[in-house]
Amino acid sequence: MQLDFLGDLKRTHRNGELRASNEGERVTLMGWVNRRRDLGNLIFIDLRDRTGITQIVFDPDKKDVLEKAAQLRSEFVVAVTGRVKKREGNTINKKIATGEIEVVAEELRILNESKPVPFSPGEPDPAQLPNEEVRLKYRYLDLRRNEMQANIELRHKVALAIRNYLHSQGFFEIETPFMTRSTPEGARDYLVPSRVHPGQFYALPQSPQLFKQILMISGFDKYFQIVRCFRDEDLRADRQPEFTQIDLEMTYPQQESVFAVVEGFLKAAFSAAGVDLPTPFPRMTYDQAMQMYGSDKPDLRLPPMTDVKSAFTPEMMQTLGIAPGLPIVAIRVPKVGELSRKERDEIKPLFGERKDAKLFDDFKRLEKSWPDAVAKIRQLVDVPTSGRHSAEQSSAPTQDDLLVIVAGGAQPAEHKSEGGVKPEVKQHDHAVYNAAGALRVALGQKYAERHKLFAGDRKEASSYRWLWVTDFPMFEYDADGDRWAAAHHPFTSPHERDMPKVLAQQDLGSVRALAYDVVLNGTELGSGSIRIHRQDVQRQIFRALGMTEEEAKSRFGFFLEALEYGTPPHGGIALGLDRIVMILAGAMSLREVIPFPKTAKAVDLMVDAPTPVSEQQLIELDLAFPFDALARCSNCGKKWKIAGHLRTEVGVGKNFQCRACGSETQVVIQDNLSFAAEEG
Ligand code: ASP
């Protein structure tokens, strides 16, 4: 096909811009052929770019142009010059912004052709899209689709709003290195081999954690960065090996000052998506979250659990096999209605088989044996005895609600962290709260169609239930390794009031950290902490974590040294940008809002990465490993051992000249080279 040059032709408008008021203007539009309808002596094309679609008409008044247009196919790139004409009556298309006009073509330049596409970017019906692998392989076509264009535009606007807000608050955006050394988040690192230093590696950062703290030591006062982070974790459906964080750090903060900054930039980000978020967000301690929601990331859209222990007599607990020392909670899921036997049977598998907690899902049976106790439970949960059908809050209790009870099974043995006055929620209780919390969420999801509490409009602020969770435990007991681990990371500051426990290395399970998470609708969107700024405290924390001075020095020596040069108090947080955009876009997967994402198997299907590299590269990076091969001369029978670093180097499969008789033979692989070879 004869293609045309762009020459000095200029666009006068974008394809989403022309209106009835442009009638009669001579315009030049450029874009992709979204669709073509050929009626013989009349051809229509929908011309598409980022901004929208304009209908172009080719008619017999310009016969040569009409003939040329007959060659157009989907995704050809064209430039059209013509006149804007108002459409008549029923030809007006109310669905698109340019639907009142069309452009009658006077000149057509075909700037490029396209192979027949594996799927059409102009396809309006998502059900017609191919599977995700095909979309990811042809990502450039997928990204041309309206929906993806909107998602990427939203991502840009959200990031810009955040940048502008943080700039207005005196934050500097400062870059930190990608080629660095291990950071403290505790996932597996991606490593980059150094050619110049054979056998040594850079690590890609899991976050800029230590750099941002060093920027505070360096006097920048307020830092932020919208930054890529890398973690080599087993990928769950909604994780990516590289992801983007909104990372920030500030000096002399209280937790509240960090919260205010985050609320400010989230308000700006949501406002860029047309949602007016009310701030401040509610706050809740980790202990409260565990007691009321059985989770450190409560979904506030569902009602909290209720402590119903007071309804149980000691005899009742004994008959039911409930451990008296552990919590008993009721879970309420609104508007589930009467359950069939079969539906009731589906609840147990959601709870799973466990020793540490027990489920009572049949309220009617319980009621037969213990009517008073059940009446008390209803009272505690505030379910009215005669039906309340709510003109009130959509989650106010009614008789249609599903109620189940979770209690402790066997009383567990004393746990390491048991002891202090704080926290209120002991490790023992956790198993029960966790089991109940997980069931609460599972039931909430299972009956989402009935209670409709998850079905809020994306544009309504009330659909977003935010929460700050504070006062996390400082340490987690790792039973396998029989040691304490940092629950956030080891640079997180303990509560001042708990410092004596750290110093005495006692009751570490009850030490609370100045660590906080921001949670949205049951998802953790970010976490952060006030940091340790004193070397002596830092040393104590490493000691509590069972790290020797040498270990600490070898991992974080540069940082510990920096701490010794006048480090101001500081703290910060990091939030996942991908997830925020995903939620705002109403997308089901992070891949819908990342331009070039990886699959669940960490593969980029478009560029086909990862790939093997050339042996030359491996040799240069000192990543080639010893490889021995055996050559047996087919003429004289002598055997030769050939040593090298790579298959190709030793020439497996290649011809080899016998050093004894001089004839040509073939190099073969031999695993066991222990038998006598003539020469090394
Ligand atoms: N570096 C931490 C993380 O990525 C966040 C923080 O403490 O600021 O989880």
Side-chain angles (χ1 to χ4, degrees), residues 98-160:
T98 60
E100 278 187 294
I101 57 98
E102 58 194 7
V103 171
V104 184
E106 291 167 3
E107 195 196 328
L108 168 68
R109 293 193 197 180
I110 303 182
L111 302 175
N112 214 340
E113 56 194 336
S114 165
K115 286 208 314 200
V117 281
F119 60 94
S120 167
E123 173 59 59
D125 179 5
Q128 298 302 318
L129 284 175
N131 65 34
E132 200 186 13
E133 276 87 68
V134 178
R135 288 179 50 207
L136 290 174
K137 176 163 161 50
Y138 298 97
R139 188 59 157 179
Y140 38 86
L141 296 178
D142 189 40
L143 287 171
R144 279 184 205 167
R145 294 189 306 114
N146 269 343
E147 218 180 336
M148 294 306 287
Q149 292 271 316
N151 287 357
I152 302 303
E153 178 181 2
L154 177 66
R155 188 181 175 107
H156 160 73
K157 286 186 172 159
V158 165
L160 186 65

Side-chain angles (χ1 to χ4, degrees), residues 36-51:
R36 183 186 67 111
R37 274 158 293 142
D38 192 340
L39 311 179
N41 64 347
L42 216 51
I43 293 177
F44 293 95
I45 62 168
D46 285 345
L47 195 62
R48 185 191 72 238
D49 64 18
R50 193 175 89 181
T51 63

